[in-house]
């Protein structure tokens, strides 16, 4: 994989993480958009995503020199995906309490974009590890 593709995947992963965390709603409740910070456990996802992007950048800047970086990035990628899925799975808990609402909450695009961002970052890490031009 060329350096340009690796860097583009890393930038796409970081940008998609930022858009998913700040810009996109993670659930819809009628016409109301519910963003990430309104969910329980959102800080776990954000922490894992930030660490994943830091290690992705580190793996791109030092390809092949540190063999443990792809393993750590892979572990952080798995933790980030699990955190995003847990937050996505609890979207109904934000709304549902003792009162049953007339409008059903629906999953928004933030969670799936967050998972795709992790996959882009992990693609950049693997591509940096096996890059043709070092």
């Amino acid at each position: 994989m060329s350096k340009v593709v690796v860097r583009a995947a890393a930038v796409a992963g970081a940008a998609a993480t930022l858009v998913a965390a700040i810009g996109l709603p993670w659930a819809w409740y009628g016409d109301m958009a519910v963003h990430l910070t309104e969910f329980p456990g959102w800080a776990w996802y954000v922490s894992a995503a930030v660490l994943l992007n830091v290690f992705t950048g580190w793996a791109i800047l030092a390809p092949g020199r540190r063999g443990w970086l792809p393993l750590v990035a892979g572990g952080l990628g798995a933790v980030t995906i699990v955190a995003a899925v847990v937050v996505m799975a609890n979207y109904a808990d934000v709304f549902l309490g003792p009162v049953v609402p007339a409008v059903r909450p629906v999953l928004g695009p933030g969670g799936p974009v967050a998972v795709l961002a992790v996959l882009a970052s992990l693609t950049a890490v693997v591509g940096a590890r096996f890059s043709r031009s070092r």
Side-chain angles (χ1 to χ4, degrees):
M1 196 178 273
S2 71
K3 283 186 177 184
V4 173
V5 174
V6 169
R7 289 180 181 160
V11 168
T17 299
L18 185 64
V19 166
I22 294 174
L24 293 176
W26 283 54
W28 291 98
Y29 185 64
D31 288 340
M32 266 185 9
V34 182
H35 293 279
L36 176 64
T37 56
E38 297 178 45
F39 286 86
W42 67 271
W44 291 102
Y45 163 73
V46 171
S47 300
V50 167
L51 282 174
L52 174 63
N53 284 306
V54 167
F55 275 92
T56 299
W58 193 4
I60 289 172
L61 293 176
R65 295 190 187 142
R66 293 175 176 80
W68 55 271
L69 275 175
L71 295 174
V72 173
L76 283 170
V79 168
T80 306
I81 287 176
V82 167
V85 169
V86 166
V87 170
M88 280 190 294
N90 292 326
Y91 72 94
D93 295 344
V94 174
F95 308 105
L96 301 179
V99 178
V100 177
V103 177
R104 183 174 175 209
V106 179
L107 185 64
V113 169
V115 172
L116 291 174
V118 172
L119 296 177
S121 295
L122 291 178
T123 300
V125 170
V126 170
R129 178 74 176 156
F130 299 109
S131 181
R132 287 182 277 175
S133 58
R134 290 187 179 170

